[in-house]
Amino acid sequence: MDKKKQMEQFNIAYIRSLAAHAGFKVSSCDVDDDSIDITIEGTGFNSSPIRNPKIDIQLKSTKNFKLRNNTITYALKAKNYSDLIGDNVLSPRYLVLLHLPVNISDWLYHSVNGITLRNRCYWFSLRYLPPSTNKNSITLNIPANQVLTSSFLKDMMKAASNGVSV
């Protein structure tokens, strides 16, 4: 398998694991023309304004990024940036960046207790960022403390059930 496709598939598996642990459904988009790779849907939010909230996610993965002053810099393609900004969408949209180990053999650890998926996903909302005139890419500054966990995924869904993003 092509290395980029392998990274993509591992990223999907990572997010699906977090969503399953949080108790959410995941669906994939057959056509990615709006920079949405997957949608995560929650149920059981009966007392919230939105009963079955959803969040849309653009997945990216990288083996190396720049970390300085607890900030990750990541160059996002201009098209993805344009698709992810703005609050005039039905569901909150997030960029999720998976930082993978350089060596594929380090992505996953096998033990007698099971498997461990290595490294971390970071989330970023572009909702309130301004439009850009850049044609190729826009450099994002993602706070390194914005680690996506199954617990935080629940917080994102709770916010979505109230019609907002985190």
Side-chain angles (χ1 to χ4, degrees):
M1 180 186 294
D2 174 75
K3 297 282 190 229
K4 289 207 180 265
K5 290 292 182 191
Q6 195 171 3
M7 290 170 66
E8 180 181 311
Q9 291 302 307
F10 192 84
N11 199 348
I12 291 167
Y14 195 105
I15 295 301
R16 283 186 173 274
S17 297
L18 291 176
H21 187 250
F24 300 138
K25 297 184 283 188
V26 178
S27 59
S28 300
C29 300
D30 290 334
V31 178
D32 177 10
D33 62 354
D34 198 24
S35 298
I36 301 303
D37 293 311
I38 62 170
T39 296
I40 300 175
E41 181 180 349
T43 56
F45 291 83
N46 297 330
S47 62
S48 300
I50 299 171
R51 186 177 60 199
N52 294 324
K54 297 178 183 181
I55 59 173
D56 293 323
I57 295 181
Q58 168 70 50
L59 297 172
K60 295 293 181 187
S61 56
T62 184
K63 291 181 183 177
N64 42 8
F65 58 65
K66 295 175 186 161
L67 176 64
R68 190 176 0 173
N69 298 326
N70 290 323
T71 301
I72 299 161
T73 56
Y74 182 75
L76 183 65
K77 289 181 184 176
K79 187 222 183 290
N80 297 138
Y81 181 90
S82 294
D83 288 344
L84 296 174
I85 63 171
D87 61 356
N88 59 341
V89 290
L90 184 60
S91 304
R93 294 175 171 208
Y94 297 95
L95 171 70
V96 171
L97 177 65
L98 174 61
H99 179 226
L100 290 167
V102 173
N103 296 318
I104 293 173
S105 61
D106 294 331
W107 292 5
L108 186 124
Y109 174 71
H110 295 269
S111 73
V112 295
N113 295 321
I115 63 170
T116 301
L117 304 179
R118 292 285 177 93
N119 273 21
R120 294 182 164 171
C121 273
Y122 299 89
W123 66 272
F124 192 70
S125 174
L126 288 75
R127 188 176 187 104
Y128 299 112
L129 294 182
S132 176
T133 57
N134 292 4
K135 300 291 183 213
N136 294 323
S137 66
I138 292 84
T139 299
L140 301 176
N141 295 309
I142 303 170
N145 66 345
Q146 290 187 185
V147 177
L148 186 61
T149 62
S150 57
S151 176
F152 194 75
L153 198 53
K154 290 178 183 180
D155 293 340
M156 293 169 112
M157 197 62 71
K158 185 175 181 182
S161 76
N162 288 302
V164 297
S165 64
V166 291

